[in-house]
Amino acid sequence: MSVDSQLPPEPEAPATDTRPPAIRVHNLYRYFGRLKAVNGISFEIPHGSVCGFVGANGAGKTTTMRILASLDYPTMGLAEVCGINVVHHPEQVRRLIGWMPDHFGNYEHMTVLEYLDFYARAFGYSGDERRERVQEVMEFTDLVPLADRFSNKLSKGMTQRLCLGRALLHDPQVLIMDEPAAGLDPKARVELKHLIRVLAEEGKTIFISSHILSELGEMCDSLLFVNNGQIVHHGDAESLKAGTDGAGGALFDVQLVGDPQSLSDWCAVNPHVEFLESRKFGGRIRVDREDPETAAGVLARMVRDGLQVVEFHKEQRNLEDAFIDMLGRIDRGEVAQPPPQPPPAPSFTPPGQGS
Ligand code: ATP
């Protein structure tokens, strides 16, 4: 027996994913007249991950998603799904993606089963395969008990599940979901979150926009923040919170006996503190330094100045705080916005935009 054969086998190096990213956007612009809805954004989303897309109203989320779904043309720049250019090969891209728009039409007098069957035909399925796809999707989205209900008579949560079912019929690799949780009650949101995590565990890539940041934080591997058509942060929820903590100090819930307004009045004339929001018996404040000595000093000054403090409690920063914080720092010019990169030469001329 040779010496080599007695050695333990070398551990195999983890296989590197050589595929192009599930989503790649590079230097993407979309102008509506003079309005720069998307203003030179670049990002990549790896396969099998869930990426949350966050931004204020009008920040450019839907426009970006519609371009990726091949429903709109960029003014300039590159958008690819699994390495396929969405402008040059929209049919190929549509086979790879499931698209859940924020609003979608329903057909009157069509049951849930008929609706899904109709779309399964449109995706080119026939015979047993079509019936199996529809059944599989109805089971996944828990629509079996609703098979005979008219699709335009469903609740918001059921409608969203139907829309998700429709988007999943052709078993897409990438799901693009625009505000899927909007208007859902807490139970329906939990169900939707669960379905999204199951899909991610199956290896699908999910790009999802939402205003409910706490939920995105729980469900997403990364968060992409957009502001005025530009990316201002791309990272996981923890890095976002950590990134703003250093600059943002510490948050405290303060409760008083007496007039809760006295807290905001006190903050207005004292250094190192900022009043953030009113609460029933006081409010939420930010102390601009993290160290306990500064917090103790603030509390001591409050008491010295006659505020009857009954609770002074440090709070964890949540994603909403981090997001608002970041927007505030951008407005105050404390965060350098990446300068728009020089627009690349247009790779094509969208219909109606040529000379
Ligand atoms: P919301 O969270 O409110 O859905 P959003 O981040 O999805 O906002 P978009 O819908 O992408 O924002 O819109 C970005 C900007 O582009 C907005 O100022 C919007 O009014 C404008 N816009 C979007 N579509 C068009 C269009 N077809 N024509 C003109 N302006 C448009």
Side-chain angles (χ1 to χ4, degrees):
M1 185 186 279
S2 77
V3 174
D4 277 356
S5 66
Q6 293 171 22
L7 292 174
E10 290 263 323
E12 272 184 35
T16 46
D17 192 345
T18 53
R19 294 174 292 176
I23 290 179
R24 177 167 177 243
V25 165
H26 183 71
N27 225 0
L28 191 76
Y29 293 77
R30 176 61 165 113
Y31 296 166
F32 295 108
R34 292 155 69 114
L35 179 83
K36 297 169 178 174
V38 177
N39 195 18
I41 66 173
S42 302
F43 63 91
E44 291 183 1
I45 305 177
H47 288 269
S49 71
V50 183
C51 176
F53 201 21
V54 186
N57 292 123
K61 303 179 297 293
T62 299
T63 306
T64 306
M65 289 182 143
R66 281 176 50 79
I67 292 171
L68 281 166
S70 78
L71 298 171
D72 191 11
Y73 292 110
T75 305
M76 284 170 286
L78 179 77
E80 286 179 351
V81 173
C82 302
I84 297 173
N85 187 304
V86 300
V87 172
H88 296 146
H89 305 289
E91 296 83 10
Q92 286 183 45
V93 166
R94 285 173 202 165
R95 260 175 245 132
L96 292 170
I97 62 157
W99 163 239
M100 254 185 98
D102 51 353
H103 295 102
F104 78 109
N106 240 326
Y107 299 111
E108 277 182 47
H109 310 306
M110 212 183 233
T111 65
V112 165
L113 179 60
E114 288 164 348
Y115 182 90
L116 290 173
D117 190 65
F118 171 80
Y119 275 97
R121 281 172 202 260
F123 281 121
Y125 290 102
S126 60
D128 285 347
E129 194 185 18
R130 192 176 83 232
R131 277 183 286 281
E132 278 163 25
R133 277 311 300 153
V134 170
Q135 183 63 24
E136 209 174 300
V137 156
M138 287 208 306
E139 281 170 18
F140 179 74
T141 50
D142 202 16
L143 287 169
V144 175
L146 304 173
D148 298 324
R149 288 271 282 272
F150 284 116
S151 61
N152 61 334
K153 298 276 190 276
L154 301 176
S155 72
K156 177 81 183 165
M158 295 166 184
T159 305
Q160 285 303 74
R161 279 189 276 138
L162 179 60
C163 189
L164 177 61
R166 183 184 90 178
L168 291 174
L169 275 169
H170 58 306
D171 197 19
Q173 290 184 37
V174 177
L175 263 176
I176 302 176
M177 310 170 88
D178 193 5
E179 288 284 344
L184 296 188
D185 68 29
K187 181 166 173 279
R189 290 213 301 270
V190 169
E191 285 166 3
L192 183 71
K193 201 160 59 177
H194 171 71
L195 293 181
I196 288 170
R197 277 316 322 177
V198 172
L199 289 167
E201 275 156 30
E202 285 176 5
K204 297 200 189 301
T205 307
I206 298 168
F207 188 37
I208 177 171
S209 73
S210 174
H211 289 123
I212 307 168
L213 299 194
S214 47
E215 282 188 357
L216 277 187
E218 287 166 27
M219 142 169 88
C220 295
D221 302 301
S222 70
L223 293 172
L224 194 59
F225 277 55
V226 66
N227 186 51
N228 290 333
Q230 294 189 303
I231 302 295
V232 291
H233 178 88
H234 191 183
D236 63 19
E238 292 315 310
S239 76
L240 179 79
K241 290 191 233 169
T244 52
D245 261 345
L251 305 177
F252 290 86
D253 175 47
V254 184
Q255 295 183 24
L256 312 169
V257 176
D259 180 10
Q261 171 74 26
S262 56
L263 180 64
S264 63
D265 295 345
W266 186 86
C267 289
V269 294
N270 273 278
H272 307 303
V273 286
E274 181 190 354
F275 186 80
L276 296 177
E277 61 172 303
S278 295
R279 287 181 173 167
K280 197 170 175 192
F281 299 111
R284 195 153 175 258
I285 68 167
R286 184 205 322 275
V287 175
D288 69 0
R289 302 233 316 253
E290 283 251 49
D291 58 287
E293 291 77 15
T294 304
V298 167
L299 175 59
R301 282 208 315 274
M302 282 181 178
V303 173
R304 186 197 64 201
D305 293 344
L307 295 187
Q308 292 181 276
V309 180
V310 291
E311 182 89 33
F312 188 85
H313 167 74
K314 188 170 179 183
E315 289 194 337
Q316 285 300 314
R317 180 181 298 275
N318 60 33
L319 274 176
E320 269 88 2
D321 299 322
F323 180 52
I324 300 291
D325 217 55
M326 174 172 288
L327 292 184
R329 288 192 293 130
I330 289 169
D331 285 346
R332 295 192 295 275
E334 293 166 15
V335 175
Q337 286 265 59
Q341 299 158 47
S347 51
F348 82 111
T349 305
Q353 295 186 21
S355 52

